[in-house]
Amino acid sequence: MSEQSWKADAPVVAVAFDRSSRQAAFALGDGTVRLVEAGGEPRIAECHAGAALALVPDAAKTGFVSGGDDGKLIRIAADASQATLATFPGKWIEQIATSEVGGIAFGAGREVMRLDRAGAPQGAPFPHPSTVAGVVFDPKGKRLAVAHYGGVSLWWCKAQEQKPKLLAWRGSHVLVSWSPDGAYVMSATQENDLHGWRLSDANDLRMSGYPTKVKSLAWSARPSYLASSGADQIVCWPFAGAGPSGKAPIEFGGRGGALVTVVAAHPKGDWLAAGYDEGAVGVGQISEKRVRLMLAPTGGRAASLAWSADGRWIAAGDEDGTMRLVAFGEASSSAMLTRP
């Protein structure tokens, strides 16, 4: 296993890989995005006048899209060149979703805007009753789920005139995620719990008992589990078969009381990566119910994790400005996990 690390003077707020798995990117509180490839040094893209708030892979195979507190949505190419896709002065762009089919969607205030893959606006904005707190495409890239106060709204991306389907539940919903099979929409709330809906019959799900707010969710590829942060262990809810109703979660990965702050799932198997509030990063399999230390604690809170689409790389960023890129070898991630 090889590891590269760098230290910036600003906190890392988001980490992503491009869809080709060739390049990782780190968005920082100083408004820059640092692009890095294995064995190389970061290229710095000066993207935002204030802080960067969000970073996702572009809808294309390469490049990224970032949002900032300067109200700008920026497209960043692999060579660190930039193009401004949208500007909303006085608003924060901190919710962005991309899809190879659906293009780009982002929140500005109470509205969600859509762009095609080339960056051209698509239709009228989608309005909501409160500030948009989360945006995600469905697995086919045809629908959007938007989290806000009072629930989650579902929209068809290409419909010109429509009323959203409201998945209602009281309180403020701060995060939204769509299951890979398209069957469930899950949200995290301000009340330290998860709420969700089975779309076939709008059956409600509620998972409680978290000591802090859940700020990170990740779906394992096989079998189907939803992993979550917000506790001193990784909490994994089973979604195979009839779903999680009446079933207890699997919990593992405790580190002496350290809080799990972020989780990321391997794209092909049941491996999970977890970041902790003392900066450590661990990797483990749900089937083994244990985590091995992969990156040592930095003292800074783990802010963001990303697993490359080919499953061979993990990027981790901390609130103290530490940026780390870890390779698992040429063959497979399982080879790394069995090394002494």
Side-chain angles (χ1 to χ4, degrees):
M1 180 176 69
S2 63
E3 174 187 340
Q4 295 174 264
S5 65
W6 306 269
K7 185 70 177 290
D9 293 330
V12 177
V13 297
V15 173
F17 280 92
D18 68 9
R19 296 182 187 275
S20 73
S21 302
R22 187 173 67 89
Q23 195 171 51
F26 302 82
L28 277 75
D30 61 3
T32 65
V33 173
R34 316 289 174 102
L35 308 176
V36 63
E37 299 173 15
E41 290 299 315
R43 296 178 179 178
I44 300 177
E46 303 280 351
C47 293
H48 300 282
L53 300 176
L55 179 74
V56 296
D58 201 345
K61 286 294 184 183
T62 61
F64 301 89
V65 178
S66 70
D69 65 4
D70 57 357
K72 291 187 176 181
L73 185 76
I74 303 289
R75 168 170 276 162
I76 309 153
D79 63 359
S81 61
Q82 304 149 50
T84 300
L85 296 177
T87 302
F88 289 82
K91 296 184 178 180
W92 289 10
I93 309 298
E94 54 183 339
Q95 304 298 333
I96 312 171
T98 57
S99 163
E100 291 181 287
V101 175
I104 302 168
F106 65 98
R110 298 185 178 189
E111 297 182 327
V112 167
M113 271 60 70
R114 295 157 291 145
L115 310 177
D116 65 14
R117 284 166 53 95
Q122 300 292 297
F126 292 155
H128 302 91
S130 64
T131 299
V132 171
V135 181
V136 65
F137 281 97
D138 77 346
K140 296 180 179 179
K142 295 181 177 180
R143 303 182 79 183
L144 282 170
V146 181
H148 50 76
Y149 188 87
V152 174
S153 293
L154 303 184
W155 300 85
W156 290 101
C157 295
K158 293 189 175 180
Q160 296 303 312
E161 296 183 6
Q162 61 180 309
K163 289 185 178 179
K165 180 179 181 179
L166 176 61
L167 304 174
W169 189 256
R170 64 184 180 277
S172 181
H173 296 251
V174 298
L175 178 66
V176 65
S177 183
W178 210 312
S179 65
D181 63 2
Y184 294 90
V185 169
M186 298 297 301
S187 73
T189 77
Q190 286 282 15
E191 285 72 40
N192 298 358
D193 61 16
L194 302 182
H195 198 88
W197 297 266
R198 187 170 58 199
L199 298 182
S200 61
D201 56 7
N203 184 45
D204 284 276
L205 309 169
R206 182 170 180 263
M207 292 86 155
S208 59
Y210 291 90
T212 65
K213 293 182 180 61
V214 177
K215 297 183 177 179
S216 180
L217 297 172
W219 296 89
S220 67
R222 189 183 66 252
S224 181
Y225 280 89
L226 177 63
S228 55
S229 67
D232 60 0
Q233 299 189 76
I234 308 169
V235 181
C236 297
W237 297 94
F239 276 76
S245 295
K247 301 176 184 176
I250 293 175
E251 300 182 35
F252 63 100
R255 282 184 50 81
L259 183 68
V260 176
T261 56
V262 61
V263 290
H266 189 278
K268 300 175 183 176
D270 74 337
W271 294 294
L272 290 173
Y276 298 80
D277 61 0
E278 22 81 292
V281 174
V283 172
Q285 288 180 268
I286 300 172
S287 55
E288 291 187 345
K289 300 179 185 177
R290 64 173 180 168
V291 164
R292 305 180 187 192
L293 180 66
M294 183 178 67
L295 296 173
T298 61
R301 185 183 183 93
S304 186
L305 281 176
W307 215 313
S308 64
D310 62 7
R312 293 170 50 194
W313 302 88
I314 284 181
D318 292 357
E319 291 183 356
D320 72 348
T322 300
M323 301 172 284
R324 294 185 280 188
L325 181 64
V326 184
F328 289 101
E330 295 296 325
S332 69
S333 294
S334 60
M336 182 283 297
L337 291 172
T338 58
R339 289 178 183 174

